[in-house]
Amino acid sequence: MPPQTMPFHHTPIEERFRTVAADRRRRAVSIFGLAFAPSFTSSGNSYSSSTSSRYLLGCSSTGRICFWDLTDGDSGRGRALAVLDVTAKQWGHHHSNHLDASVMPIYHISFIEKKPDQQQQHQQHTLLVVAVRGGVLLYRWSDIEAKLDRIAEGKDDACLTTTTKVQQSTCILGDVHPITTLPVHPNPNPRALGRIQCTSFDASNDILYGAADDGFGTYVWDIEREELLGTLGRRSGVTNSLHSVVCSIDGGGKVITGGDGGQIDVWDGRQLSLIESVDCSSCFRDGVAAAGTVLSDSGKVANLDKVSLSISSMDMTGSGDWAAIGGQCMRHPSTRRESSITGGGGGEGGFVSLFHLPSRTLSSAYVTCESIHDIKYVDSFQKIATVGNEGVVSYWNSSDLSTGRGCRAWISTPNAHCIAVDGAESSSAHGNGDSLFAVGGTGSMVDCFSNGSKVHSLDFA
């Protein structure tokens, strides 16, 4: 007969140390990207943007993807259902030898709809795009979703193991591998491999674009043939880090990129050629955008002399005519002690502006005290939402940014990195019949909003 084991109990001091350690781990996480998963229609064989998303995904600096079930929990608050750890070994070829397998931060996640094969015209091919250092990984979403559904039903055969956090069990997904990988140009120094910081997909020709920081510009991959077509190379005099790329949705093949240096480059994605470049720094230094004088948070005209801009994020309207631009204003080192950019106290700040793609002109710019890290159109209440290095989300008039913020809402993180908007136009499951959007950043908390008001917060597992 085996010896009897006594239940183990931590002393109050040990419990305190465990709590402090858990809190430090939560604070050490940075959430770089969020995405709402597409949902199946009632017919069960296709995805639809008219149905509210069940799952929300978040990617982190620790190389982990967290899956929240928005329909589970008290009053629909949702819970961390499962996590997936992405490692360099998942590349599946010698390219993984050039990467650090211990930590592989994920910088961006998104969903794309791949064209169905000719023999399977009725089936949708939804892929999860995971952007990391060294390229992107593509996962078949239906495989992951099937595992999540089984876990939600209480069947843990899809789990590699489970982890407990705050009295909540979270499954660690096992046996989940990318169906293909799309690497960047090789580099003998693994730490110099390009980081894909943002991706955008042209569904009209199955082309995936990835903005990188390795000096090659924006990578262009053919998803169907799984090969690199080329890069939208950087121009002479432009620094080597791109932060954002967005495709026009009209099927015309136009691509907009932005990054350090403050240039908005408009490309012909099919010919891999530059159409035109707009220098935001020059436009703002002149103090004039298409709509008039550039104002700031202080209520004064923005002081943009000897200031360089960096574009951190862009988002396109549904019509494809307008793009919302956000980023950072940086003074040159020799002028840091001069008057602030916003005309009041303080130092560096940020900016927002609207870009008209057909005429390729800037419009209704505004300079902010905070650096803008992400910007998104929230169509459900006709606003633009921005987040940055402050603990609020700001709402702007989507047709005129020059009037400043309409309102703000507090968020859990003091430094937000990303916003995700549910593609569903209406969602009774989310509370007010409005589409949901989520905000994440430094720390493990993700805040969910409906109609501009916070409805609940989620914890990254």
Side-chain angles (χ1 to χ4, degrees):
M1 181 176 180
Q4 296 292 327
T5 58
M6 298 295 293
F8 180 79
H9 297 285
H10 292 285
T11 67
I13 294 180
E14 289 174 330
E15 286 291 350
R16 174 59 179 168
F17 276 115
R18 285 165 56 88
T19 302
V20 171
D23 183 65
R24 287 179 177 176
R25 286 194 298 270
R26 286 194 293 269
R27 293 176 182 272
V29 173
S30 288
I31 300 172
F32 290 151
L34 294 165
F36 286 91
S39 299
F40 269 119
T41 61
S42 58
S43 60
N45 60 3
S46 63
Y47 287 96
S48 171
S49 61
S50 62
T51 306
S52 60
S53 299
R54 175 177 182 179
Y55 298 114
L56 172 65
L57 283 66
C59 64
S60 75
S61 57
T62 60
R64 171 167 284 190
I65 300 175
C66 184
F67 304 87
W68 291 279
D69 184 356
L70 299 177
T71 63
D72 193 14
D74 298 334
S75 303
R77 286 182 176 271
R79 69 181 179 97
L81 189 66
V83 295
L84 172 64
D85 290 321
V86 177
T87 66
K89 294 180 180 179
Q90 295 196 8
W91 283 96
H93 49 74
H94 72 277
H95 187 70
S96 63
N97 296 330
H98 299 289
L99 297 170
D100 183 0
S102 59
V103 177
M104 196 173 187
I106 304 171
Y107 301 103
H108 188 261
I109 53 174
S110 61
F111 288 92
I112 63 175
E113 293 287 342
K114 183 181 176 182
K115 289 182 179 179
D117 299 331
Q118 293 182 356
Q119 298 177 351
Q120 298 175 328
Q121 291 288 345
H122 65 286
Q123 293 185 1
Q124 295 289 338
H125 295 262
T126 301
L127 302 179
L128 172 63
V129 181
V130 178
V132 296
R133 180 185 293 277
V136 297
L137 303 94
L138 302 181
Y139 295 82
R140 184 178 289 107
W141 171 242
S142 59
D143 295 342
I144 298 177
E145 187 179 40
K147 289 179 177 291
L148 296 177
D149 290 343
R150 290 185 63 82
I151 296 170
E153 295 171 358
K155 303 174 182 178
D156 60 358
D157 57 340
C159 295
L160 177 65
T161 183
T162 58
T163 179
T164 302
K165 178 180 179 181
V166 195
Q167 298 180 350
Q168 177 176 291
S169 179
T170 301
C171 173
I172 299 179
L173 292 180
D175 195 28
V176 175
H177 306 283
I179 60 173
T180 189
T181 57
L182 304 173
V184 300
H185 291 315
N187 193 305
N189 180 4
R191 296 189 179 278
L193 279 171
R195 295 181 299 178
I196 301 299
Q197 307 193 83
C198 180
T199 62
S200 186
F201 184 63
D202 186 351
S204 63
N205 52 12
D206 275 353
I207 299 298
L208 180 67
Y209 300 92
D213 67 346
D214 59 358
F216 290 104
T218 300
Y219 286 82
V220 184
W221 290 287
D222 187 315
I223 298 298
E224 182 65 29
R225 292 185 291 175
E226 299 181 2
E227 67 178 14
L228 177 65
L229 300 180
T231 60
L232 306 180
R234 66 186 181 95
R235 298 175 295 105
S236 176
V238 180
T239 52
N240 64 353
S241 185
L242 291 178
H243 303 301
S244 188
V245 58
V246 62
C247 299
S248 62
I249 61 174
D250 58 2
K254 291 186 177 63
V255 182
I256 308 174
T257 62
D260 292 347
Q263 284 85 8
I264 300 174
D265 291 333
V266 182
W267 301 83
D268 184 331
R270 296 175 178 175
Q271 301 297 324
L272 304 185
S273 60
L274 180 66
I275 298 175
E276 186 173 346
S277 181
V278 177
D279 187 355
C280 296
S281 299
S282 297
C283 294
F284 287 9
R285 272 196 297 270
D286 294 338
V288 176
T293 303
V294 180
L295 297 178
S296 67
D297 276 338
S298 66
K300 303 177 182 179
V301 176
N303 179 14
L304 293 166
D305 187 31
K306 299 180 181 179
V307 169
S308 61
L309 305 181
S310 176
I311 297 172
S312 59
S313 179
M314 300 185 292
D315 192 30
M316 188 80 72
T317 59
S319 64
D321 291 336
W322 291 91
I325 313 291
Q328 183 179 7
C329 300
M330 298 169 290
R331 279 205 177 280
H332 297 295
S334 61
T335 63
R336 292 284 171 85
R337 293 187 178 182
E338 296 182 13
S339 58
S340 70
I341 295 171
T342 59
E348 299 176 348
F351 73 95
V352 292
S353 183
L354 294 179
F355 181 73
H356 188 233
L357 182 56
S359 64
R360 295 187 284 279
T361 57
L362 288 170
S363 173
S364 63
Y366 192 89
V367 173
T368 63
C369 289
E370 76 279 7
S371 298
I372 302 299
H373 294 164
D374 201 3
I375 186 168
K376 287 290 188 298
Y377 282 97
V378 186
D379 295 332
S380 61
F381 64 113
Q382 299 179 343
K383 295 289 183 183
I384 291 175
T386 62
V387 294
N389 57 344
E390 62 175 1
V392 298
V393 54
S394 300
Y395 304 116
W396 307 75
N397 186 335
S398 59
S399 60
D400 185 7
L401 299 175
S402 63
T403 57
R405 301 170 184 79
C407 58
R408 292 181 174 185
W410 291 105
I411 55 180
S412 300
T413 175
N415 184 27
H417 299 308
C418 55
I419 308 174
V421 181
D422 191 353
E425 291 298 326
S426 62
S427 172
S428 59
H430 296 327
N432 295 322
D434 299 296
S435 62
L436 198 70
F437 72 94
V439 176
T442 302
S444 64
M445 300 305 297
V446 173
D447 295 324
C448 296
F449 292 80
S450 180
N451 199 28
S453 300
K454 187 194 299 188
V455 291
H456 56 265
S457 296
L458 306 172
D459 197 6
F460 197 96

